[in-house]
Amino acid sequence: MRLETKLGLFNGLSKLLLVLLGALLIPPVVQRVAIVHTDQHLREKKQLLQQLIERDGLTQFLRTERDESYADYNILKQEYITITPLPAYPSGQAGPPTERIFEEPRQVGQQVEDFRILSYVAPLRVPARGTSTPNGAAPRRYRLEIGSSLATVELLTTTLRRLALWVLAAGVLVTVFTDAAFAHYSLGPLRELLSRKLRSIRQPGEFSFQRLDTDTTDFRQLDDSLSALMRQLQASFEKEREFMSNVSHELLTPTSILQSRFENMLQDPTLDEPHARQIVESQRTLYRLRNTVRTLLLIANIENEQYLRDENVSLTRTVRDVAEELDDRRQQREIELHVDLKPDYVVLRANATLLHTLLRNLLSNAVKYNNEGGQIRVLGRPTPAGGYQLRVEDDGPGIAAENLPLLFDRFRRFHATGPKAPEGYGLGLPIAQTIATFHHATLRAESVVGRGTAFVLEFA
C-alpha cells in the first residue's frame, strides 16, 4: 500500500474517531453549558427585579390583602416570579441574604411544568400602610423566586448540540480534504524519486543524478544519500566488469597454450596409454575451464555493450533453430517438445546471436533438469500491456522457493531439488538474464517443487 494511501486512511480514521468522541462528549458538555447559561440568566433577572423593586417599591408587587405577590411572564417574558413573605428571623435580627438554584415542578395556570428556580431570601423594607416610601419601615424577610422552564433550557440545549455537531462535521470534512491535499503535495518529491529515479532503472548506470526540486530537508537528504550510494555502485560495477574482462582475456591465452601442448603430447608415438588417458582427462578439465572463461568474457562484453542491436529477430524462428540444435539431447532423454507461439513476435533492434544464446540456455536447462519422458512447453502470447511473454516450462523436480532468487546470481550457486536432480545450475541463467536486460526485457522464474519450473521472458 502506498504511503500516501496509508496517510489518507489514517487521516480519515482519526477524523472519524474525533467525530465519535465529539458525539459522546458534546451532549453532556452542551447540557452543562446550557445550565450554566440559564443560571447566569436567572441571576441577571434577579438583579433586574431588584432594580425594579428599588425603583417602583415592593408594594407594586404585593397583594396586601393576601400578603403575597405573583408576577407572570408579562414582566420578565420567559420566566415566572414570586415574592413571598417569610416569618421573621428566629434571632429577631435580619440575617445575610441566601441564594440557591434547584429544579422543581411548578403549576402555571392549569399546567405543571418543570422549572429551574433561583430562590433568593433576603430582608426587604416594606413602606408603612398609607405611605409610598420604605423610609423608617422595619425590614422583613422575603423569598424571591425566579424560575425558567426546563422546556426552554432543553430547547437551548438541542439548538446548541445541533450547532456543535454541524460545526464539528464541517470542521472534520475541511480538515480531511486539507490534510489529504497537504499530504499529496508534501509527498510529491518522494513520488518523483520513486518514479523517475528508481522504478524505471534496471542498472546503476541508468540512475539519474539530477537533484530533486524540493525544499523538504528529509527528501533532499534521501536523494543525496541515494545518489552517493548509486555512484559507489556504479564504480563497483565498472571495476567488476573491468576485472572480469581483464581476467578472462588473461586466462584464455594460457589455456590455449596448454590445449596446444596437450594436443602435441597426444601426437607423440612414444606416449604410453596410461599417460595418454591422463592427458585426455586434463584436456576435458581444460575444456570446462575455457568454457567458464568464455562465459565470463561474454557477460563482461554484453554489460559493456560491445554487441550491436541492429537486427529484427523472429522468436519463432529462433526457437525452431535452438530446438533443432538440442534435438539429439532431447531425444536421448525421450522428452517431448511443444512449441506454441501465437502470434509470432519480432524483437526489434536485437542481436540474433545473443537471443539464440538466451533461448538455448533456457531450453538446454529444460532438457537437462527435466525428468526422462517429460515434456517441454514453449508458449508465446501478447501481454495486456502491449508486450509479449515467452514461457519455457518443464516437468522437472522444481526449485525450492528460497533458491529462486539465487538462479540469476552469477556469484552464488545451489543444488537443484530432488534426489535425481543434476548437480546444480551454472552460469547459463546469469548469461540469459544479462542478454534479456541488454534487450530491455525481463526474465524471471516460477517453480513448484515436484511439478516443474517455468522461465518467463517478457518484452515491453
Side-chain angles (χ1 to χ4, degrees), residues 52 68 124 128 163 169 209 220 223 266 324 347 381:
L52 290 175
E68 179 181 335
L124 298 176
L163 179 61
F209 290 97
R220 179 165 296 172
D223 184 33
L266 287 175
E324 290 178 1
V347 184
R381 294 290 185 275

Side-chain angles (χ1 to χ4, degrees), residues 129-272:
R129 193 177 295 274
T131 64
S132 58
T133 60
N135 296 334
R140 184 176 179 183
R141 192 165 63 135
Y142 285 86
R143 180 174 62 228
L144 185 150
E145 278 191 358
I146 302 174
S148 177
S149 173
L150 288 181
T152 304
V153 177
E154 183 60 27
L155 179 61
L156 176 62
T157 302
T158 302
T159 302
L160 291 177
R161 187 185 300 129
R162 289 178 179 174
L163 179 61
L165 290 176
W166 275 111
V167 170
L168 176 63
V172 166
L173 286 178
V174 170
T175 55
V176 165
F177 285 109
T178 54
D179 290 353
F182 182 75
H184 182 78
Y185 170 76
S186 300
L187 296 178
L190 183 59
R191 289 195 302 274
E192 183 181 357
L193 181 67
L194 294 175
S195 61
R196 183 167 63 86
K197 292 197 170 189
L198 295 180
R199 192 166 296 162
S200 59
I201 67 169
R202 300 180 182 181
Q203 295 182 0
E206 299 175 356
F207 185 79
S208 173
F209 290 97
Q210 183 180 358
R211 296 193 70 183
L212 286 178
D213 184 15
T214 176
D215 55 358
T216 304
T217 305
D218 297 334
F219 291 147
R220 179 165 296 172
Q221 291 177 346
L222 177 62
D223 184 33
D224 293 342
S225 300
L226 195 58
S227 296
L229 179 62
M230 294 306 290
R231 285 191 180 92
Q232 294 180 0
L233 281 177
Q234 281 192 9
S236 299
F237 268 65
E238 290 297 329
K239 291 180 180 177
E240 175 195 324
R241 291 173 183 174
E242 184 179 358
F243 174 77
M244 288 178 59
S245 179
N246 294 337
V247 169
S248 301
H249 280 292
E250 293 296 328
L251 287 177
L252 277 179
T253 301
T255 54
S256 298
I257 295 174
L258 287 175
Q259 183 69 25
S260 297
R261 288 183 178 176
F262 286 149
E263 291 175 354
N264 293 333
M265 292 171 66
L266 287 175
Q267 292 177 1
D268 185 357
T270 61
L271 184 65
D272 55 13

